[in-house]
Amino acid sequence: FFFQAEDGIRDTSVTGVQTCALPISAQSAALARSILALPARVQVAVEDADHLDLTDVTLGDLDGLPTFGCPPDSDLARAAARGRGAVLTVVGEAPEAAGRLVVVGTLTTLRHESCPCPCAGGGRDVVRLVPDYLGLHTDAGRQRIAPAAFAAPEHSLNPGRLTRVREHANRCHPDLLRAQVADRCDLPMEEVLDARITGLTAHGLEITWIDSRGAHRRGLALPRPAVDADDLAVLLRDLLHTATPEA
């Protein structure tokens, strides 16, 4: 069975960085983290379970551990409470996250997160898969990734996560992006027809926009380089809120 991973618990962090200068082994670990951050298809198999209902289950990356958000009464939450073994297969198709990641390990319950929203059903369990084995499969072949290398803090800023954050900003915060352009270019808000982040790194972002004069592109530097995923989230949020959309 397959399910499409949604924003879910991944919206709490922002990640992404270029890996061209890394050693080959580090590049492989960064690619594996990118696949986890930007999945096209996900498959989960659990010990002693013939079928899993993955309705309302989300997949994320928490400090280098594959992490699920799921209803407390879900099959996955019950399996984690029993410490079941599991195999996670993640297929990435984007250029920056192309390949297949296989993770074999043990499910554990990290915490329960309460939520007052009726749609949340009282909250969600956060379940992590502690890996014993990680395998990266690409066109170049198959490679085993050490869990410590996969979880290295520098890979929290991986290209796949950057792409995901960029797509989220474009989809959910278009008015903030338009306001940034209007403020920095001294334009009326109504003249900025569209604005999108077309590039994002730990150092800054590139905004492309369309106004009455045509299409334009401009780079914006962050106040300082982001040191990790949470730091980048704060820097990006503060940058986008320096201009306020007009009513």
Side-chain angles (χ1 to χ4, degrees):
F1 47 84
F2 293 91
F3 71 98
Q4 181 68 38
E6 298 295 339
D7 283 341
I9 57 177
R10 286 179 294 184
D11 284 344
T12 60
S13 64
V14 183
T15 57
V17 75
Q18 293 173 323
T19 61
C20 57
L22 297 175
I24 293 176
S25 59
Q27 288 187 39
S28 297
L31 173 57
R33 289 283 290 273
S34 290
I35 293 170
L36 180 61
L38 194 64
R41 299 188 305 278
V42 177
Q43 183 179 14
V44 184
V46 173
E47 176 187 7
D48 296 330
D50 294 331
H51 173 75
L52 287 180
D53 182 359
L54 295 178
T55 303
D56 296 328
V57 173
T58 59
L59 172 65
D61 176 348
L62 182 61
D63 298 329
L65 292 176
T67 306
F68 302 91
C70 54
D73 60 349
S74 66
D75 293 341
L76 200 61
R78 287 192 289 265
R82 297 183 177 96
R84 298 299 194 205
V87 179
L88 169 68
T89 303
V90 185
V91 177
E93 297 178 348
E96 65 272 40
R100 178 162 56 95
L101 172 66
V102 178
V103 185
V104 181
T106 304
L107 294 168
T108 64
T109 303
L110 181 61
R111 60 177 178 267
H112 178 78
E113 295 182 341
S114 299
C115 180
C117 301
C119 61
R124 298 172 68 78
D125 281 357
V126 179
V127 171
R128 61 184 178 183
L129 178 59
V130 181
D132 297 314
Y133 168 86
L134 297 111
L136 176 65
H137 302 251
T138 67
D139 291 342
R142 180 175 60 185
Q143 183 176 357
R144 184 167 184 169
I145 307 294
F150 183 80
E154 59 265 30
H155 300 321
S156 68
L157 299 174
N158 61 75
R161 190 57 180 164
L162 268 182
T163 296
R164 189 167 188 86
V165 172
R166 174 173 56 81
E167 291 175 347
H168 170 80
N170 291 336
R171 182 175 67 252
C172 300
H173 305 294
D175 287 343
L176 286 176
L177 295 172
R178 290 175 57 235
Q180 271 291 322
V181 171
D183 183 65
R184 291 176 179 272
C185 298
D186 196 23
L187 292 171
M189 181 77 165
E190 59 271 17
E191 287 193 14
V192 183
L193 304 178
D194 186 37
R196 296 177 179 273
I197 297 177
T198 50
L200 179 64
T201 72
H203 298 270
L205 62 150
E206 177 187 79
I207 293 184
T208 300
W209 74 94
I210 299 173
D211 60 29
S212 58
R213 299 170 297 172
H216 312 273
R217 182 171 58 188
R218 180 172 181 175
L220 300 178
L222 295 171
R224 54 176 173 76
V227 297
D228 58 26
D230 292 337
D231 191 37
L232 181 56
V234 172
L235 292 172
L236 184 61
R237 181 193 64 202
D238 290 347
L239 179 65
L240 292 181
H241 281 83
T242 55
T244 303
E246 296 177 0

